[in-house]
Amino acid sequence: MLGTARPGQPFNVTVIASDTADDPHRWQFTVRSVVCGKPLDPGVMAYAADSVGAPTASPTPEAGKQFCVLTMDAVNVGKSMAVWNADNRVSLNVADTRYTMSQKDSEYASDYAQYWNSRGQTAPTFGLNPGSKGPVHGIFQIPTGEKPTSVWVTSGTAITTIDGVQPGYFVRLT
């Protein structure tokens, strides 16, 4: 574990991958909120539907589950443009159970990135230059009635590899 934080408290993560070994990506993250049990943002969903020419849909979670929307700020504190998103790099935890985004949840998170990008807040999903800041959203489904206790933000390109769970920051929510 690289460290612990609380919502509103920034923490730094260095992401080293095979293609960034000579120039690792450095990020400062701040968890702003985790909201569970509410529908996904109707403005985001309407924007996503309009962009593909489909009727506005109101996504529903899997049976027995609720959506949880994680909102974080990301600042590129590195020396070059970098791309980052919560796919396979962030988990929302209920006690000792770890939830990551499904492929569909990742699509919803991408809808959030597109929506905020259209409003002038470029998400790191699309790349941020050094010193630039943007919103990160993660969409998770956890059992109805449960409350998340923590967020894990890894320093790797995936939460787990053949060597186990990657080092990262533990953000305590309760």
Side-chain angles (χ1 to χ4, degrees):
M1 180 168 28
L2 298 174
T4 62
R6 295 228 177 248
Q9 184 179 40
F11 56 93
N12 291 343
V13 172
T14 300
V15 180
I16 300 173
S18 59
D19 62 340
T20 64
D22 293 335
D23 184 19
H25 295 164
R26 291 179 171 84
W27 294 96
Q28 181 181 78
F29 297 110
T30 304
V31 172
R32 291 289 168 214
S33 65
V34 177
V35 177
C36 297
K38 295 186 177 183
L40 298 181
D41 186 315
V44 171
M45 295 298 103
Y47 177 82
D50 286 346
S51 68
V52 295
T56 302
S58 180
T60 56
E62 297 171 20
K65 296 201 175 171
Q66 64 182 329
F67 285 123
C68 291
V69 178
L70 165 70
T71 302
M72 298 191 318
D73 291 331
V75 179
N76 180 346
V77 294
K79 297 192 178 286
S80 63
M81 195 277 286
V83 174
W84 193 90
N85 61 51
D87 287 353
N88 298 316
R89 296 175 178 153
V90 176
S91 69
L92 187 63
N93 310 302
V94 177
D96 64 350
T97 303
R98 180 177 58 224
Y99 294 90
T100 55
M101 292 192 293
S102 69
Q103 182 177 359
K104 190 63 179 171
D105 298 333
S106 293
E107 290 172 16
Y108 296 141
S110 179
D111 291 340
Y112 273 73
Q114 292 281 351
Y115 175 80
W116 287 106
N117 186 59
S118 74
R119 280 152 179 74
Q121 293 185 36
T122 303
T125 298
F126 306 115
L128 293 176
N129 279 310
S132 294
K133 175 181 172 179
V136 174
H137 292 90
I139 312 297
F140 302 88
Q141 294 186 48
I142 68 171
T144 302
E146 294 287 336
K147 292 186 179 192
T149 54
S150 63
V151 175
W152 181 259
V153 180
T154 182
S155 65
T157 57
I159 289 177
T160 57
T161 64
I162 57 172
D163 297 327
V165 176
Q166 293 294 299
Y169 263 82
F170 180 79
V171 181
R172 189 178 318 272
L173 300 174
T174 58

